[in-house]
Amino acid sequence: RVIAHSKNERTFHIFYQLLAAPSAFKENLFQGFGSATHDSFRYVGSIGSRIIEGRTDTEHFELTVSALKTFGIEGEELNTLMKALCIVLQLGNLTFEPDPSVDGEGALLVVDDELEKVTTFMGIGQEEIKNATTTKFVKARGEEFVARLTPTQSRDSCDALAKEIYSQIVSVLVDKMNKRTHPSHFGGRSDQVGASIAADEKDTGCISLLDLFGFETFDKNSFEQLCINYANEHLQNRYILDNFQSVKDDYEFEGIEIDIDCSTTNNSEVLNLVEGRMGLISIINEECVRPSGNSSSFVYKAKMIHKDSNHLVSEKLHRPWEFGVKHFAGSVTYDATDFIERNTDQLPLDLLECVTKCTNSIISTQFDALLTERQTLMQSTRRKQGAMSMTICSKFRKRLAGLIEHIAATKTRYVRCIKPNENKTPRVTDHMVTMRQLGSAGIVTAINISKNIFPNQLPYDIVWDRFHCLSKTDIDPQLDYMEKSALLLSDVFKDSEQFVKGQYTAPYVCGKTKVFFRSGALKRLES
């Protein structure tokens, strides 16, 4: 979204807010920036509505500045943050053309006002920026040489830099917010402000809100859609475990027979297809470290290895770089044309080293850390494994695993959002679209299960303590809670059997540790 956005959509709101800020504030950041508008930058371009949730971008900017101040970001630190955003915008305006001196094979960075602004914003010389964006240092078979990049490669490299800077800005903000909201910040222990939440888990609780990715399928589905849908599969799997499997396991433990079929919602096979030992991620990574690795080879290997899979779709009309995956929400055909490039979407070492010289402290600090990490991995004795661990897929999988581990350790509640129609039209519900989502998300299964199971459960001691006053017979107090509760309920619900699934059954069932009540039974006891 930093470098491109769909028609009728916006890039990140902060860019519009910054450009709508008071001219004096903008001019104070960089000379000449005060008159800049959204049309001044390729990454932003023309926009439709300038009113978001009833407020202008200028009003939203004031709210953002106020919010940042809450987290201690103000004054010069705020200026540094905004200057870093200016650099992201300005990188999009650099122009690369074929170099006529080398038969058009190399790229030429056009020297114009836009380049001058980049050098001013970053505090790095033109020649250094030119070399870092149009050439690449290559080491192969013991030889070292400088390779010329094509205009397209140079543009991609520049775009990758803009994305990485924005990503690092977000990381800085998240880190600062986490430190400010950490309990140790309020306990006067300033030396522990940066400590992880895990260190104080025994003393503090944690409430986390997770805005899930939306399942994505477009006319062309690329690498980003695979990553997003892979995350969706994991979160859906967690939802299944929390809502269906846990219920089934609980009933089995209590010795109660119940018909719960989770097969229609179980997506573990899809996850295995994507992240298994020879899954899609492994095959992509392998292609990325192969000298001649390419997208068509990746697709061919994936279809051969998983030819018996029910979730990998291989159609005769597929082009060599196309494959399909049957996700929990539906089948998606992916275009793998740029999978290998996107998966190795890392900045060239030369460019990383160049950016560490940036005079913006946020950028230089973050890129110093990136450079150190890269150099450490390159010096690893297992270089192939190190290279594979640096891919986007590997990093994404690692972060996702950490998120799922955190979710698994919590008591989770879910709010399911259903898209009413495909056209984003207000107050219109397309029943087919809605039902498809309800089915694929497992909501229909959840409703069917709730009809067949016991909605209320109470431990035996609570049943006895709360309802023993309803008993019409004397029950031996020396009996244990389970026996006393069973006699109590048998007495209270005498002649109250319900006709369920062709047979008469009691309105409750006694398990090993608690009583399970059918719909309405507990309400009757309470009344």
Side-chain angles (χ1 to χ4, degrees), residues 5 131 170 397 403 472:
H5 48 93
N131 290 334
V170 174
R397 176 168 56 181
L403 172 64
K472 299 170 186 175

Side-chain angles (χ1 to χ4, degrees), residues 403-419:
L403 172 64
I404 297 300
E405 184 180 350
H406 178 66
I407 293 174
T410 66
K411 171 65 178 175
T412 312
R413 292 172 176 82
Y414 295 83
V415 176
R416 276 287 185 179
C417 299
I418 302 298
K419 185 166 63 175

Side-chain angles (χ1 to χ4, degrees), residues 171-185:
S171 295
V172 168
L173 286 176
V174 171
D175 186 54
K176 191 169 283 289
M177 290 176 183
N178 284 341
K179 288 177 180 177
R180 279 275 173 161
T181 54
H182 193 275
S184 60
H185 178 72

Side-chain angles (χ1 to χ4, degrees), residues 45-155:
S46 59
I47 57 174
S49 174
R50 302 191 186 189
I51 305 296
I52 303 295
E53 296 179 347
R55 291 190 174 94
T56 64
D57 288 321
T58 303
E59 291 171 322
H60 277 295
F61 177 75
E62 293 169 359
L63 289 172
T64 299
V65 170
S66 176
L68 289 170
K69 187 176 181 180
T70 302
F71 292 98
I73 303 172
E74 55 184 324
E76 192 53 41
E77 191 171 1
L78 174 67
N79 288 342
T80 303
L81 176 69
M82 294 300 166
K83 286 179 179 179
L85 291 170
C86 290
I87 291 172
V88 173
L89 290 175
Q90 194 58 47
L91 284 169
N93 286 3
L94 292 181
T95 303
F96 298 92
E97 296 178 346
D99 187 351
S101 64
V102 286
D103 299 325
E105 287 295 319
L108 196 64
L109 176 57
V110 177
V111 178
D112 56 11
D113 291 342
E114 302 300 341
L115 175 58
E116 185 63 37
K117 289 176 184 176
V118 171
T119 59
T120 302
F121 288 9
M122 298 187 74
I124 302 174
Q126 284 190 14
E127 199 62 28
E128 286 184 276
I129 292 176
K130 186 188 82 170
N131 290 334
T133 54
T134 61
T135 62
K136 182 172 69 172
F137 182 76
V138 179
K139 186 174 182 180
R141 298 176 183 176
E143 294 184 13
E144 299 178 355
F145 57 93
V146 176
R148 297 290 301 270
L149 300 179
T150 66
T152 300
Q153 290 172 329
S154 294
R155 179 71 265 162

Side-chain angles (χ1 to χ4, degrees), residues 124-407:
I124 302 174
Q126 284 190 14
E127 199 62 28
E128 286 184 276
I129 292 176
K130 186 188 82 170
N131 290 334
T133 54
T134 61
T135 62
K136 182 172 69 172
F137 182 76
V138 179
K139 186 174 182 180
R141 298 176 183 176
E143 294 184 13
E144 299 178 355
F145 57 93
V146 176
R148 297 290 301 270
L149 300 179
T150 66
T152 300
Q153 290 172 329
S154 294
R155 179 71 265 162
D156 290 344
S157 182
C158 192
D159 288 342
L161 174 58
K163 289 188 287 185
E164 189 60 55
I165 292 175
Y166 188 82
S167 175
Q168 293 303 321
I169 291 172
V170 174
S171 295
V172 168
L173 286 176
V174 171
D175 186 54
K176 191 169 283 289
M177 290 176 183
N178 284 341
K179 288 177 180 177
R180 279 275 173 161
T181 54
H182 193 275
S184 60
H185 178 72
F186 301 99
R189 295 175 291 162
S190 59
D191 60 315
Q192 294 185 27
V193 169
S196 66
I197 289 176
D200 286 338
E201 270 184 347
K202 293 181 181 178
D203 305 317
T204 61
C206 177
I207 298 176
S208 300
L209 300 179
L210 174 65
D211 182 10
L212 306 188
F213 285 111
F215 183 81
E216 289 195 351
T217 176
F218 303 116
D219 292 334
K220 179 181 177 180
N221 300 289
S222 193
F223 182 73
E224 287 79 9
Q225 279 68 54
L226 180 63
C227 289
I228 288 172
N229 293 338
Y230 164 48
N232 262 295
E233 290 287 357
H234 250 301
L235 294 165
Q236 174 69 7
N237 185 258
R238 188 68 243 170
Y239 173 78
I240 293 165
L241 291 174
D242 286 341
N243 289 277
F244 304 147
Q245 194 61 47
S246 59
V247 172
K248 188 175 182 179
D249 292 344
D250 190 30
Y251 278 82
E252 288 179 354
F253 172 77
E254 292 289 338
I256 297 174
E257 291 185 9
I258 186 163
D259 183 21
I260 298 179
D261 182 13
C262 297
S263 61
T264 56
T265 56
N266 190 343
N267 66 339
S268 56
E269 287 188 17
V270 187
L271 285 175
N272 188 55
L273 168 67
V274 178
E275 66 177 16
R277 186 169 174 271
M278 290 298 289
L280 300 180
I281 291 178
S282 295
I283 301 171
I284 295 173
N285 286 343
E286 186 68 34
E287 285 300 302
C288 287
V289 297
R290 257 189 353 112
S292 56
N294 61 81
S295 297
S296 296
S297 175
F298 153 67
V299 172
Y300 175 77
K301 289 179 180 177
K303 289 183 176 181
M304 288 300 294
I305 293 172
H306 298 283
K307 62 178 183 285
D308 298 325
S309 171
N310 292 325
H311 294 277
L312 185 76
V313 181
S314 178
E315 296 180 354
K316 291 182 178 179
L317 294 178
H318 276 171
R319 286 170 290 186
W321 54 85
E322 288 182 332
F323 68 99
V325 175
K326 286 185 180 178
H327 290 287
F328 76 91
S331 292
V332 177
T333 298
Y334 293 98
D335 184 329
T337 304
D338 57 0
F339 270 33
I340 307 305
E341 292 77 10
R342 291 291 178 90
N343 194 35
T344 53
D345 190 15
Q346 57 182 2
L347 299 174
L349 201 59
D350 321 53
L351 191 53
L352 259 182
E353 291 174 343
C354 175
V355 179
T356 59
K357 301 172 185 175
C358 182
T359 52
N360 185 287
S361 58
I362 289 178
I363 295 175
S364 60
T365 301
Q366 294 299 110
F367 275 73
D368 269 334
L370 285 175
L371 181 61
T372 301
E373 179 189 12
R374 177 79 66 82
Q375 290 171 336
T376 301
L377 285 169
M378 288 178 68
Q379 292 168 3
S380 169
T381 52
R382 304 177 71 176
R383 295 192 59 176
K384 181 179 178 181
Q385 187 175 346
M388 291 174 72
S389 69
M390 291 166 64
T391 64
I392 301 296
C393 273
S394 296
K395 292 178 180 177
F396 191 80
R397 176 168 56 181
K398 185 177 179 181
R399 289 187 179 185
L400 186 57
L403 172 64
I404 297 300
E405 184 180 350
H406 178 66
I407 293 174

